[in-house]
Structure formats: structure tokens, C-alpha cells
Amino acid sequence: AQSVTQLGSHVSVSEGALVLLRCNYSSSVPPYLFWYVQYPNQGLQLLLKYTSAATLVKGINGFEAEFKKSETSFHLTKPSAHMSDAAEYFCAVTPLRAGGGNKLTFGTGTQLKVEL
Amino acid sequence: ETGVTQSPTHLIKTRGQQVTLRCSSQSGHNTVSWYQQALGQGPQFIFQYYREEENGRGNFPPRFSGLQFPNYSSELNVNALELDDSALYLCASSLSGGDTEAFFGQGTRLTVV
């Protein structure tokens, strides 16, 4: 079964500092990988996705992630944190399978805090 | 705005009761998935419906059931509610295909007392 592991349930950065949220996946073949963001009392919004095209994926709000097969990683980064980035971030994986939409397996999430 | 709407937004039920949650998918999407998100956890896949047929199920007991209608809206039914069923229930709609974006609703917060 595919799974993702998010290292660090809480990450705190200063405004303007680099954001790095870690995600490692477990799969016998490279899957599709996603990063979602969840603001309080809201659903999830897609930040970016990896679907076996370019290994460096750019998303919304200045976020990007790099797929590294050798490290089975898909870490999320942003060069300069903004207060509005404070939220919970989820890494997710779905198998390469035809028929029906993606069936996402989520990590346990990383709560990002941005301090002045 | 994602276009996925869920109702109700909040619900309180008593242990042993039954509940129905509803989801209106984004226009043109033929696939609906349901997730359970317990407090402090990531969402867990319950099941998916594709063109009105169940198309995959997570590790949830049969008392969790669903329906998808011809207009692709969907229902999640939970029988014999247990305290551990208290969670945020999220609906996501998408097109078919594993690489497509899933659009999430804001969820239904279910509290079982």
C-alpha cells in the first residue's frame, strides 16, 4: 500500500524566512503526489501536484516542490514566508491507476506557524 | 470558489443514530470521493463513486455507505453512529484520472454524543 510520511507535525518560521515542509512517500513505483493546504474550518485546496512530468513543480502562492526518486521525497518549499501562509499542509499520494478519480492517501499534516 | 458544496455544515447526533451527509459536486465532475478527518489527523479515504457506481473503498465498515445520483451529487450515510465517528467529513469532486485535481468542499462537522 502506498503511504506518505510528513516529518514534523509543527513547523515555525519567521516572516520572510524559507519554508521547508518534508514529505517522503512509500511506493514501489513513482505515484502521483500532491500538496494540499487547509485553513481553519475550511476544506483542502490544492497547492501543486507531481504527475511524472517535470520533477520541479511550481504551485500557487509561491510554493514549489521537487520530486526526488532516489530519496522518495517530495518536499514543499517557499523562499519567503508570509503571515498568510499559516495553515496546515498535507502531502498526499494516489496510485497510477486508470478509471475513476484519484483516491488520495494523506499524511498526518504539518501545522505551519509564521511569526513576526 | 471550488463549487463543491456540502450540507449541513455542522451536525450533532446521538450514539446509535443514523446520519446522511450531502455533497453537490462541481459542474462537469463525474467522480465524488468522501474522506473522514478526525481532529488533528489527515483525511482518511472512505469511498469513491464514479458514474453512480462505487469505485473503491477505504478501511471503513459497511455501516458507512453512499450513493451518487445522475447529476453526480452524492450522499454519505452512516448507521449506528459511534463516538469515534465524530469528525470532519469532506467531499471531493473530480474528473476521472489519477492525476486530476480533487476539489474539496468545506466539510460537515459531525459530533456524536
Side-chain angles (χ1 to χ4, degrees), chain A residues 42-43, chain B residues 6-10 88-91 104-109:
Chain A
Q42 293 191 24
Chain B
Q6 293 186 241
S7 62
T9 55
H10 295 82
L88 181 67
Y89 288 85
L90 295 164
C91 167
F104 283 81
Q106 291 195 322
T108 294
R109 173 72 64 186

Side-chain angles (χ1 to χ4, degrees), chain A:
Chain A
Q2 297 181 320
S3 65
V4 290
T5 302
Q6 293 184 241
L7 296 176
S9 58
H10 292 81
V11 170
S12 183
V13 300
S14 299
E15 191 174 34
L18 171 71
V19 175
L20 170 60
L21 304 182
R22 299 178 185 274
C23 173
N24 288 86
Y25 69 90
S26 172
S27 175
S28 57
V29 295
Y32 294 139
L33 291 158
F34 304 80
W35 275 99
Y36 280 85
V37 61
Q38 186 176 35
Y39 296 99
N41 301 314
Q42 293 191 24
L44 287 84
Q45 181 184 13
L46 180 68
L47 282 175
L48 49 81
K49 62 181 180 181
Y50 168 76
T51 58
S52 71
T55 56
L56 182 62
V57 181
K58 294 187 183 298
I60 62 171
N61 301 338
F63 285 93
E64 63 182 38
E66 186 172 8
F67 174 76
K68 292 186 176 180
K69 183 179 178 181
S70 61
E71 299 177 7
T72 62
S73 68
F74 190 57
H75 302 330
L76 181 71
T77 60
K78 182 174 180 177
S80 177
H82 191 272
M83 295 296 289
S84 61
D85 294 328
E88 185 139 31
Y89 292 79
F90 292 96
C91 182
V93 63
T94 193
L96 294 171
R97 187 185 306 166
N102 46 40
K103 305 174 184 67
L104 297 163
T105 299
F106 285 89
T108 52
T110 297
Q111 185 71 45
L112 176 65
K113 182 178 179 182
V114 182
E115 299 175 318
L116 288 171

